[in-house]
């Protein structure tokens, strides 16, 4: 079985999709897929489907959804399968679980690659870090579970995954900047800043990329626009390391011209105290 949650929900066995068309069974499959091999308690599944307003028939209805998923599993597995649908979507005391290897779900492969990339980054292997971060990001086919109606539990999971995706892009850009690819990342950073107008880390990366590309005035203007936005909308000044980065650009600090910058550091912490 292969399951994808980093984009539209996809799950197939032997090339046959087992994703149901009905909304609530899709939610159950998505939630179970995020935690393969772990029991998902019945109350958690109910909260995801109905929130706090449980119908009287909640348990019976949930069991019906599980049965529908097992039927789809059984059809895809075929009569010659070594196990049964009940072995794959198993009942345990107080809940249900998908009996499948974690690497069969794209999110777990993604998290494994991110861990490898971070280790390479920390060991100053920037080329391997950038390539592995990129490989992890290539697993994404769109916003997480974009075609699944999410309840309170899946909503938190989706937020967590999207935050992880943004952080991974930020770290990959850090690796690219340490490799001197400042011109190549400018367009991507402009797009990211438009989507995250108060994100100071992305702004620091864009400032450094622009500065190293010979666009000092644009880099300084970017800082002033961010500062104005933070003061007007939140009543706060930019972070101290961002203020120091701005001052370093005004002073034409030679450290900014060093392609790789300090080792084991993000661009945002280039001028950390």
């Amino acid at each position: 079985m292969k399951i994808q949650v980093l984009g539209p929900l996809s799950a197939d066995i032997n090339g046959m999709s087992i994703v149901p068309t009905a909304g609530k069974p899709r939610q159950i499959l998505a939630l179970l897929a995020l935690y393969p091999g772990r029991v998902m308690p019945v109350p958690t599944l109910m909260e995801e489907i109905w929130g706090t307003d449980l119908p009287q028939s909640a348990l019976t209805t949930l069991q019906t959804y599980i049965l529908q998923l097992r039927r789809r599993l059984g059809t895809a597995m075929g009569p010659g399968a070594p196990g049964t649908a009940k072995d794959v979507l198993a009942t345990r005391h107080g809940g249900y679980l998908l009996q499948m290897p974690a690497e069969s779900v794209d999110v777990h492969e993604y998290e494994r690659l991110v861990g490898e990339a971070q280790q390479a980054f920390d060991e100053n292997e920037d080329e391997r870090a950038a390539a592995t971060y990129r490989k992890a990001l290539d697993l994404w086919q769109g916003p997480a579970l974009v075609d699944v109606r999410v309840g309170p539990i899946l909503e938190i999971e989706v937020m967590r995954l999207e935050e992880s995706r943004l952080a991974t892009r930020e770290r990959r850009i850090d690796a690219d900047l340490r490799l001197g690819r400042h011109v190549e990342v400018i367009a991507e950073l402009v797009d990211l800043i438009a989507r995250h107008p108060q994100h100071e880390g992305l702004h620091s990366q864009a400032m450094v990329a622009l500065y190293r590309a010979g666009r000092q005035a644009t880099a300084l203007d970017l800082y002033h626009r961010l500062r104005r936005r933070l003061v007007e909308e939140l009543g706060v000044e930019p972070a101290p390391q961002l203020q120091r980065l701005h001052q370093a650009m005004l002073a034409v600090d030679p450290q900014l011209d060093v392609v790789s910058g300090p080792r084991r550091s993000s661009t945002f912490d280039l001028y950390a105290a």
Side-chain angles (χ1 to χ4, degrees):
M1 186 190 302
K2 288 288 185 184
I3 299 183
Q4 295 176 319
V5 298
L6 302 179
L9 177 62
S10 170
D12 63 76
I13 299 177
N14 302 323
M16 180 179 293
S17 174
I18 63 166
V19 178
T21 55
K24 289 182 172 61
R26 289 169 75 91
Q27 289 174 265
I28 294 171
L29 177 60
L31 193 50
L32 291 171
L34 286 170
Y35 295 95
R38 287 176 52 181
V39 176
M40 187 58 59
V42 165
T44 302
L45 291 167
M46 288 182 174
E47 183 182 355
E48 167 59 27
I49 296 171
W50 293 290
T52 57
D53 188 20
L54 297 182
Q56 288 187 346
S57 61
L59 181 58
T60 302
T61 305
L62 175 62
Q63 292 169 340
T64 301
Y65 294 151
I66 295 293
L67 179 61
Q68 291 173 3
L69 288 170
R70 282 180 175 153
R71 284 174 179 164
R72 298 185 72 90
L73 275 167
T75 300
M77 292 169 66
T84 67
K86 280 190 175 183
D87 296 324
V88 178
L89 178 45
T91 302
R92 292 291 184 269
H93 179 70
Y96 301 94
L97 79 157
L98 276 178
Q99 294 270 38
M100 58 183 296
E103 58 267 24
S104 298
V105 186
D106 61 352
V107 67
H108 297 283
E109 175 68 5
Y110 161 77
E111 289 172 345
R112 182 187 68 80
L113 287 168
V114 168
E116 286 185 9
Q118 187 60 46
Q119 181 178 354
F121 187 88
D122 291 341
E123 294 173 355
N124 303 328
E125 297 181 22
D126 298 332
E127 192 70 62
R128 183 164 70 90
T132 309
Y133 279 135
R134 196 167 281 109
K135 188 176 179 181
L137 290 165
D138 285 345
L139 292 174
W140 287 75
Q141 304 298 314
L145 296 173
V146 65
D147 60 347
V148 176
R149 184 191 65 186
V150 298
I153 309 300
L154 279 179
E155 183 179 22
I156 294 171
E157 294 292 342
V158 167
M159 288 175 60
R160 176 182 67 83
L161 288 171
E162 291 296 335
E163 283 293 327
S164 172
R165 184 187 190 185
L166 179 59
T168 299
R169 288 186 73 177
E170 191 177 357
R171 289 195 292 265
R172 194 223 80 229
I173 293 169
D174 274 333
D176 282 334
L177 286 171
R178 293 199 330 193
L179 289 163
R181 297 170 180 163
H182 36 270
V183 174
E184 291 87 338
V185 300
I186 288 175
E188 179 182 8
L189 282 165
V190 168
D191 176 69
L192 285 170
I193 285 172
R195 298 172 186 271
H196 306 279
Q198 295 176 350
H199 196 299
E200 292 176 285
L202 294 172
H203 278 78
S204 70
Q205 291 179 322
M207 288 169 63
V208 169
L210 288 164
Y211 182 92
R212 290 178 178 168
R215 299 170 61 182
Q216 180 187 25
T218 306
L220 294 171
D221 179 64
L222 189 65
Y223 173 83
H224 288 298
R225 283 190 281 127
L226 171 65
R227 180 182 181 276
R228 185 164 55 249
R229 187 178 301 115
L230 292 175
V231 170
E232 291 178 356
E233 296 178 7
L234 301 178
V236 298
E237 292 285 342
Q241 53 263 58
L242 200 59
Q243 295 183 43
R244 286 191 287 269
L245 175 62
H246 171 244
Q247 290 300 316
M249 289 183 174
L250 290 173
V252 195
D253 187 342
Q255 183 178 345
L256 286 167
D257 296 324
V258 178
V259 166
S260 16
R263 300 288 80 191
R264 301 171 185 257
S265 173
S266 69
T267 307
F268 184 59
D269 290 327
L270 198 59
Y271 288 89

